[in-house]
Amino acid sequence: MTKKEMPAGFPLSPRDAGGNVLVLGVLVTVRSVESCKNGLPVEDQERLMALVGQKRKIVQFDRFGFVWLSFAETENSEDFCLFPSEVSLA
């Protein structure tokens, strides 16, 4: 695979759990953090799991199609990423 080629299935479709189109800056509800919590220390897993049900703005889409969100509601930092299907429009 060359640098420019993507793995099969990437980039991810920018659609939430309900099939709605996601765009940068939109407010979403975190539905799951399963894709990013595995392998992390327990404290970090708990911090992520506490975000389930909370609302955050999408601060970035990376080249693979993952949505990047911030831990804090009022910040625009790229703290963690999820599959688009792990969020829903708020």
Side-chain angles (χ1 to χ4, degrees):
M1 179 166 57
T2 66
K3 273 186 167 181
K4 295 185 181 193
E5 290 180 21
M6 291 270 178
F10 289 91
L12 301 167
S13 174
R15 296 193 177 268
D16 73 357
N20 301 298
V21 175
L22 299 170
V23 294
L24 189 63
V26 73
L27 193 63
V28 295
T29 301
V30 177
R31 297 173 50 100
S32 171
V33 294
E34 291 301 312
S35 68
C36 66
K37 75 175 186 117
N38 294 328
L40 293 175
V42 173
E43 306 83 41
D44 293 338
Q45 289 184 34
E46 290 172 350
R47 185 176 183 194
L48 284 167
M49 289 186 300
L51 294 171
V52 174
Q54 293 192 23
K55 294 174 179 33
R56 295 292 184 273
K57 285 185 183 177
I58 295 177
V59 296
Q60 178 184 317
F61 287 95
D62 66 19
R63 71 184 199 98
F64 295 101
F66 288 100
V67 295
W68 284 82
L69 308 169
S70 177
F71 283 119
E73 280 183 74
T74 58
E75 292 184 17
N76 285 324
S77 57
E78 300 157 3
D79 294 327
F80 65 100
C81 67
L82 298 172
F83 283 92
S85 60
E86 291 182 295
V87 302
S88 60
L89 289 178

